[in-house]
Amino acid sequence: MTPTLFQALQAARRAKRPVLLATRLSDGAQALVGPDGAHGANLPEAVVAAARQALAEDVARTVEVEGARWFLHPHNPPLRLIVVGAVHIAQALAPMAPPLGFAVTVIDPRRAFATGERFPGVALDHRWPDEAMAALGPDGRSAVVTLTHDPKLDDPALDAALRSDAFYIGALGSRRTHAARLARLAALGHAPETLARIHGPIGLAIGAETAPEIALAIMAEIVAVRRRATLVSPAREAA
């Protein structure tokens, strides 16, 4: 890898920009490809298309184009799960995410709930959600889940998430609760098509009842959205 290419790759990783390193196996020629195409290189269009797909799927692969084999290696920013509310469902959800590649942060200013004893090994943020979300800066590799049922905590987090590139936004609550929530967020200036980004009631329809089951339904929906799988109706209408 040339010093210029290495510096460009490192700069993209520091800035948390998705980028893919394409290497022609016959001679080691390399180029970087982002979601909007190749930069500083004249790659065959089929290589760029395959690279963008590999980047979106976050899967390395080898492709053959015009008789040449290319190795496509995505360098995506880390996956993050930002949970608002240190509640029982969050306790079940937090350990499920790391094996799936997600770094977890739980936001809750209520220090009696957000403790290391209840969330061992999990990053805890005791700031109010608007401050915490501004500092965390959700991006296209972030999922945001609100679980408190308290508009003072959930609404600022959802407001921030809707103004971000978060790939998944979910909120716990019944259909009635969600309708009231949407009305409040609309009053903050969010259009209907923006509000449609919120998954609420949250989770896949697996008949979840217990906190671990609801957490499983939420995590399954996050993975399905990330992988662009076909989704079914929400899992639970929590009170």
Side-chain angles (χ1 to χ4, degrees), residues 166-177:
F167 77 87
Y168 177 90
I169 305 170
L172 185 70
S174 67
R175 296 188 186 281
R176 180 185 302 176
T177 297

Side-chain angles (χ1 to χ4, degrees), residues 16 18 76-83 101-103 105 133 136-145 160-162 164-170 197 199 219 222 225-226:
K16 296 184 178 179
N76 272 311
L79 289 166
R80 292 187 293 166
L81 173 59
I82 300 172
V83 180
F102 289 81
T105 300
M133 292 287 286
L136 291 170
D139 56 18
R141 300 270 291 172
S142 302
V144 178
V145 172
L162 290 171
S164 77
D165 293 327
F167 77 87
Y168 177 90
I169 305 170
R197 294 175 59 197
H199 294 263
M219 202 69 234
I222 291 171
V225 170
R226 179 178 173 239

Side-chain angles (χ1 to χ4, degrees), residues 56-147:
E57 296 175 356
D58 202 14
V59 175
R61 61 180 56 132
T62 301
V63 298
E64 185 168 340
V65 176
E66 299 173 3
R69 291 173 63 80
W70 291 82
F71 180 65
L72 309 177
H73 184 189
H75 291 266
N76 272 311
L79 289 166
R80 292 187 293 166
L81 173 59
I82 300 172
V83 180
V84 178
V87 297
H88 291 310
I89 295 172
Q91 285 183 279
L93 182 62
M96 293 181 185
L100 298 171
F102 289 81
V104 182
T105 300
V106 174
I107 300 171
D108 201 320
R110 302 170 299 181
R111 292 177 179 269
F113 292 94
T115 66
E117 291 75 21
R118 298 184 74 230
F119 293 90
V122 176
L124 300 175
D125 194 319
H126 295 110
R127 290 172 288 191
W128 284 88
D130 54 346
E131 298 175 7
M133 292 287 286
L136 291 170
D139 56 18
R141 300 270 291 172
S142 302
V144 178
V145 172
T146 65
L147 301 175

